[in-house]
Amino acid sequence: MRWINTRPSRGAQLALTLLPFVLLIVAYAFGSAARLAENTNDKLLPGFADFADAINRLVFVADPRTGEYLLWSDTAASLVRLFAGLGISTVTALVIGMLIGMLPYLRALLSPFVAVISMVPPLALLPILFIVMGLGEASKIALIAIGVAPTMIRDLALKALELPREQIVKAETLGGSSWQIGLRVVLPQILPRLITCLRLQLGPAWLFLIAAEAISSDSGLGYRIFLVRRYLSMDMIFPYVVWITLLAVVMNYILDRIRVALFPWSEPEKQA
């Protein structure tokens, strides 16, 4: 028997999926108990009761200064910025990526430029964006778009280039123009990859958003994390980190379900 040919049952697969998370929680519980035993006021690894109290204050108790429920108001502010940046990136990547993949002249013009831009560390551009665009929402959204779009453009262009040349020739034989070929041959085949690209860029997009909010913002998940860090409020920081992770996981799952629903043929075959 070879390990490469063995597959876990559904129960075993569920157990294996949950095992790392359970071990992480158990390890934290032991570490927290040990630190609190030495110092009941320890803030580095607060107990689960402290987490429960902090979550209650963040979710169900209005802030006395603003009257807002902090977790929900911060989430709304961050998601608006994130969706705006990802939306701009998606449209830009789809149009430019498809054109680079289809048209040799545009490929010669834009492909090297996009490749160079994709190598620029986006966070290094943040001070420039703040100087040029100010400290408002535009610079935060622009950072997400600049950080995400070039990689998506290159990926979609490569996907368009990988399409069999025979398909293009057949479409030309049937009298299809460049626009018709793009809309009816290329576009349907790169749209599933577009959704996959978007899923892969969720992590970097959150990174750029948190960095921008931490430096200059008065609301948002990143702003709140870096605001309370000066007080060593780990009972607030950990729930915010977990909440951001949960949001990213849910977004990733929704995008994958959308891809499967719209393009069922793009679902990879699973062997029994």
Side-chain angles (χ1 to χ4, degrees), residues 29-264:
F30 276 105
S32 176
R35 292 188 66 91
L36 291 174
E38 296 180 2
N39 178 12
T40 56
N41 296 320
D42 182 76
K43 292 185 176 182
L44 183 60
L45 296 177
F48 292 111
D50 297 319
F51 285 138
D53 180 65
I55 292 172
N56 178 68
R57 287 185 283 109
L58 293 169
V59 178
F60 301 109
V61 178
D63 181 64
R65 184 174 61 87
T66 63
E68 297 178 337
Y69 297 88
L70 292 181
L71 182 67
W72 304 124
S73 61
D74 289 336
T75 300
S78 292
L79 288 182
V80 168
R81 296 164 185 150
L82 184 72
F83 289 156
L86 288 177
I88 294 172
S89 301
T90 301
V91 174
T92 303
L94 178 61
V95 174
I96 298 180
M98 189 169 70
L99 291 177
I100 290 177
M102 287 179 52
L103 306 178
Y105 274 94
L106 278 179
R107 185 157 59 250
L109 174 67
L110 296 178
S111 185
F113 176 75
V114 172
V116 171
I117 293 297
S118 67
M119 300 301 171
V120 178
L123 293 180
L125 300 176
L126 189 54
I128 299 175
L129 293 176
F130 282 152
I131 293 172
V132 174
M133 308 181 72
L135 302 178
E137 300 300 305
S139 57
K140 302 177 183 64
I141 295 172
L143 177 65
I144 298 172
I146 292 172
V148 169
T151 302
M152 295 179 65
I153 291 172
R154 296 183 69 188
D155 200 330
L156 293 179
L158 289 174
K159 179 62 178 178
L161 283 170
E162 290 174 358
L163 297 181
R165 180 62 186 172
E166 292 80 3
Q167 295 182 1
I168 307 299
V169 173
K170 289 180 180 179
E172 291 174 337
T173 303
L174 295 173
S177 64
S178 296
W179 287 108
Q180 289 174 324
I181 293 172
L183 293 176
R184 303 188 65 175
V185 177
V186 179
L187 181 62
Q189 296 188 74
I190 68 171
L191 282 178
R193 184 60 193 177
L194 174 64
I195 298 177
T196 300
C197 286
L198 190 56
R199 291 175 59 203
L200 294 174
Q201 292 302 311
L202 285 177
W206 275 107
L207 170 63
F208 303 140
L209 173 65
I210 298 303
E213 290 181 340
I215 294 175
S216 175
S217 185
D218 58 3
S219 63
L221 298 170
Y223 160 78
R224 193 68 55 189
I225 289 175
F226 280 82
L227 176 68
V228 301
R229 71 180 173 86
R230 67 187 68 173
Y231 309 112
L232 300 179
S233 300
M234 302 298 285
D235 57 336
M236 292 181 63
I237 294 176
F238 277 134
Y240 263 67
V241 172
V242 172
W243 178 241
I244 291 171
T245 304
L246 181 61
L247 288 174
V249 169
V250 170
M251 291 170 62
N252 178 74
Y253 176 80
I254 291 174
L255 286 171
D256 189 49
R257 292 301 92 194
I258 291 174
R259 178 187 60 81
V260 173
L262 296 179
F263 313 102

Side-chain angles (χ1 to χ4, degrees), residues 8-23:
S9 63
R10 289 188 177 182
Q13 184 173 356
L14 177 60
L16 290 171
T17 299
L18 296 177
L19 181 60
F21 299 99
V22 173
L23 292 177

